[in-house]
């Protein structure tokens, strides 16, 4: 189970580290072609979401690697489930049904990571 957790959490963490890093440092104009929602929210919120994603990625990987407070991995995974549920709601409120597929997949992966984190 630890190997499965490491693989899935590592991939999910890498995704969120990349996406969060982009949101944290790139301008809204550079983000808009991939993330149309950034035009409708304040820049500070975009940066905050990026910071949360970066911290969550660290929370998925670092506690199990160090053995310090491994319950934080479960908390981070559950946080990503909540984040993706909220993101799905945002897309649906904007009429972007096609864009929700990635959100549903990421929520599912985060739920798997949470389950795996809870098994050890």
């Amino acid at each position: 189970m630890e190997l499965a957790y490491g693989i899935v959490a590592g991939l999910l963490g890498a995704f969120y580290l990349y996406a969060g890093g982009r949101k944290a440092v790139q301008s809204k104009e550079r983000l808009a072609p991939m993330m149309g929602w950034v035009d409708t929210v304040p820049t500070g919120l975009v940066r905050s979401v990026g910071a949360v994603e970066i911290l969550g990625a660290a929370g998925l990987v670092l506690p199990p690697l160090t053995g310090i407070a491994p319950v934080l991995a479960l908390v981070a995974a559950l946080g990503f489930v909540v984040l993706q549920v909220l993101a799905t709601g945002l897309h649906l409120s904007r009429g972007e049904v096609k864009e929700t597929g990635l959100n549903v997949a990421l929520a599912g992966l985060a739920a798997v990571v949470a389950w795996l984190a809870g098994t050890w």
Side-chain angles (χ1 to χ4, degrees):
M1 285 298 198
E2 288 181 31
L3 178 61
Y5 175 86
I7 292 169
V8 180
L11 291 172
L12 196 62
F15 174 84
Y16 280 113
L17 184 62
Y18 172 75
R22 289 190 61 175
K23 290 176 191 122
V25 299
Q26 287 189 337
S27 68
K28 287 172 73 169
E29 293 77 25
R30 297 228 19 220
L31 292 172
M34 277 186 65
M35 303 171 204
W37 61 271
V38 298
D39 289 340
T40 61
V41 298
T43 301
L45 182 58
V46 176
R47 302 280 185 251
S48 296
V49 170
V52 165
E53 289 177 346
I54 292 168
L55 291 172
L60 289 178
V61 177
L62 294 179
L65 282 180
T66 63
I68 300 170
V71 72
L72 291 178
L74 175 61
V75 172
L78 292 174
F80 281 135
V81 171
V82 171
L83 179 73
Q84 290 308 319
V85 168
L86 294 172
T88 301
L90 175 70
H91 285 300
L92 291 175
S93 73
R94 293 170 43 92
E96 300 170 342
V97 177
K98 292 180 184 177
E99 283 79 5
T100 60
L102 178 61
N103 300 113
V104 171
L106 289 171
L109 280 175
V112 168
V113 169
W115 175 74
L116 290 169
T119 61
W120 38 270

